[in-house]
Amino acid sequence: MGQSNNAGITSPQEPYAITKVPPLPGVVLCPNGGTVPHQYFPIVRSVDVPIDPTRYETFVDAAEALPSSVIRGESVCTPAAVAFAGPHGLKGRGQVIVFSVAIGSSTFEQLVGSDEDKQPFVNAVNILMKARNFASKEGKTLKIAGVLWSEGETSQNLRISRAEVRSQLQTLRKKVDSLGMEVGQMPSQERVPIVIAQLSKAAHHSGIGAVAFEQERACREVPGMFLVPTYWADAPDGAGYHYSSKGQMQLGAALGLKLADYWNGANCTHLYPYYVRREGETVTSYWTANVTSDVSKVFDPGSFGISYEDSTGRIEIERVTIEGSTVTISLSRIPTGRREQLQIGHFGSVKFEGEEGFGIGPVSGLRSNIRTVKGRRSVPGGPLVYDWAAQKHSIEVDVIGAPAEQPTASEAAAAPAADSRTRRWLSSIRQKLGRN
């Protein structure tokens, strides 16, 4: 579910779909109306229109069979389903039904609704129930593998607040839990995962990514939500909202692998520094995996997309070194302010002239050059897929040797609450450092 990127709407230079031949016949299926079964072009003017039930009467081998007149590229859904069905996922042990009810230029309230379910969400429920009946007739049991969520560009341009985004993501979690219970998946036992394609598009009016910030936060704090940054995927350079068809294939593979990890019981945590300390001008950050810098796939915005600031403003970084899961930053001076923070992917977005404003992708989006050392292939012989550092991540810095300082009342009220996992990490690491 989501907006235009989820549906595969792409730039006019690419009026084609990549997957015209079913990639895994008999394994990856879609509604007979297509992987994006809406009978109208999926943009906001069709947001309140029910999908014609004749377009999901049955389920067929998935492919993007589109006339050349339709400007829509690859949906992330098909490559995600192929990755999930592949060697890291089902490994041929079942079938996957995939569909997208995404609508371009729409908001969360138009897609899902905070209270009453809106039409796109109703469309998803209707197709899901039809898929359950299809599975039952085949003598099989339907399980919801997950929801791929890609939304936020329109809301962000409407100056949505971080609090509103936070509330919407919590609502999405509750509604997907209810959806899972419809097919017997209880949240306490088989919670339906939500994999979020993190928005790399900065708000048109300010360059600030409120949606991306809360998406990253939710995937650390809300159970069953997981993050896939998108800035590394192929996209036209310049202002815009849409990835290329190649980029959609890349993102689909990453999303599908994340789902496979979840159901295999593997670690699904996205890539970020979970603890940071400073001693003098040296800042040491500890990450969730072994990392490296990669400037061949993502253009370096400076210091690999890492920034450092305190209450006085940003402090220049002189050098970044990486060893294993530790990233060490050398500052140009010792900070003198309060509330020191290390930030990932907070800058680099390029402002272009025109109504579409800031860019996206590996050259002009909010981004970082840090990724995991280890990559995987979603299909045999395919390109390696890595986990990239989450953008809009901020973490408070533990200052070694500094006197304890009490935050002001306003600072305490504004500080985000650490999730329980982060608190446990901090406690264990401080014990190792002798700071009980």
Side-chain angles (χ1 to χ4, degrees):
M1 289 194 70
Q3 292 187 233
S4 50
N5 276 312
N6 192 284
I9 296 174
T10 187
S11 62
Q13 295 94 315
E14 294 189 311
Y16 58 84
I18 289 178
T19 309
K20 294 187 176 181
V21 177
L24 290 176
V27 177
V28 176
L29 310 178
C30 72
N32 57 288
T35 57
V36 186
H38 213 297
Q39 61 269 26
Y40 296 105
F41 194 57
I43 56 176
V44 71
R45 65 170 173 262
S46 60
V47 72
D48 296 323
V49 180
I51 295 177
D52 185 344
T54 63
R55 296 180 63 79
Y56 52 93
E57 283 184 331
T58 188
F59 297 87
V60 299
D61 289 336
E64 297 283 0
L66 293 171
S68 58
S69 59
V70 175
I71 302 175
R72 184 169 72 75
E74 183 71 62
S75 165
V76 298
C77 296
T78 304
V82 171
F84 182 72
H88 293 285
L90 292 180
K91 303 175 183 177
R93 295 173 300 198
Q95 293 176 303
V96 181
I97 293 176
V98 59
F99 61 91
S100 172
V101 291
I103 300 289
S105 303
S106 54
T107 65
F108 178 90
E109 292 301 330
Q110 292 172 311
L111 289 166
V112 176
S114 293
D115 298 312
E116 179 184 356
D117 292 345
K118 294 306 171 73
Q119 189 61 53
F121 192 82
V122 172
N123 289 338
V125 173
N126 290 340
I127 297 174
L128 181 67
M129 295 303 105
K130 184 68 74 169
R132 181 176 64 176
N133 295 340
F134 173 81
S136 179
K137 290 178 182 178
E138 295 285 317
K140 300 176 181 178
T141 300
L142 181 76
K143 178 183 287 188
I144 305 175
V147 173
L148 307 180
W149 182 254
S150 175
E151 183 270 340
E153 294 93 338
T154 299
S155 295
Q156 193 162 255
N157 284 343
L158 293 173
R159 301 175 185 265
I160 191 170
S161 70
R162 279 167 40 184
E164 289 175 292
V165 179
R166 193 177 312 143
S167 175
Q168 290 175 355
L169 292 174
Q170 290 168 346
T171 297
L172 179 66
R173 177 68 276 172
K174 292 175 183 177
K175 291 200 175 191
V176 171
D177 281 345
S178 297
L179 194 58
M181 288 188 282
E182 288 286 333
V183 297
Q185 290 177 239
M186 306 306 292
S188 61
Q189 299 170 338
E190 286 188 313
R191 173 166 259 145
V192 178
I194 301 170
V195 182
I196 297 176
Q198 189 183 25
L199 183 66
S200 81
K201 174 78 172 180
H204 169 74
H205 55 84
S206 67
I208 297 173
V211 173
F213 184 99
E214 289 301 329
Q215 288 174 336
E216 194 273 335
R217 175 176 171 151
C219 291
R220 284 183 287 113
E221 299 182 358
V222 180
M225 277 190 165
F226 307 101
L227 193 77
V228 172
T230 62
Y231 58 80
W232 55 273
D234 187 77
D237 187 24
Y241 294 93
H242 303 132
Y243 290 89
S244 66
S245 288
K246 178 182 177 181
Q248 301 286 21
M249 291 286 286
Q250 293 169 330
L251 292 175
L255 292 164
L257 287 172
K258 188 71 76 171
L259 281 180
D261 286 342
Y262 176 80
W263 290 109
N264 286 331
N267 180 19
C268 296
T269 303
H270 58 273
L271 185 61
Y272 68 96
Y274 60 85
Y275 176 71
V276 183
R277 64 186 179 118
R278 178 181 66 79
E279 191 164 8
E281 298 167 354
T282 301
V283 179
T284 307
S285 61
Y286 302 90
W287 291 61
T288 54
N290 288 341
V291 295
T292 187
S293 60
D294 189 339
V295 296
S296 66
K297 294 182 176 64
V298 175
F299 184 76
D300 187 1
S303 302
F304 303 144
I306 299 174
S307 53
Y308 197 95
E309 68 175 36
D310 63 11
S311 58
T312 67
R314 183 166 292 182
I315 300 167
E316 183 180 348
I317 293 175
E318 290 190 338
R319 185 172 65 257
V320 177
T321 57
I322 299 173
E323 183 176 355
S325 60
T326 302
V327 179
T328 304
I329 298 104
S330 298
L331 301 177
S332 61
R333 62 175 176 84
I334 295 177
T336 57
R338 298 164 60 86
R339 299 303 247 182
E340 296 178 38
Q341 287 193 340
L342 184 74
Q343 301 170 330
I344 311 297
H346 274 237
F347 67 99
S349 188
V350 180
K351 178 73 166 66
F352 295 90
E353 296 297 326
E355 64 178 23
E356 293 187 329
F358 291 87
I360 63 171
V363 175
S364 52
L366 293 168
R367 62 197 187 277
S368 170
N369 298 94
I370 297 180
R371 63 162 173 81
T372 54
V373 172
K374 184 179 179 181
R376 296 177 294 170
R377 304 183 195 278
S378 63
V379 295
L384 286 169
V385 179
Y386 300 96
D387 289 336
W388 290 79
Q391 65 186 76
K392 301 303 288 184
H393 177 77
S394 297
I395 181 169
E396 290 186 17
V397 177
D398 204 5
V399 181
I400 307 301
E405 291 184 336
Q406 295 297 320
T408 65
S410 60
E411 286 175 334
D419 59 279
S420 59
R421 179 176 54 194
T422 300
R423 288 197 296 270
R424 290 195 299 270
W425 272 332
L426 287 172
S427 176
S428 64
I429 291 171
R430 281 176 171 147
Q431 288 177 15
K432 292 177 182 177
L433 294 171
R435 300 192 68 206
N436 298 322

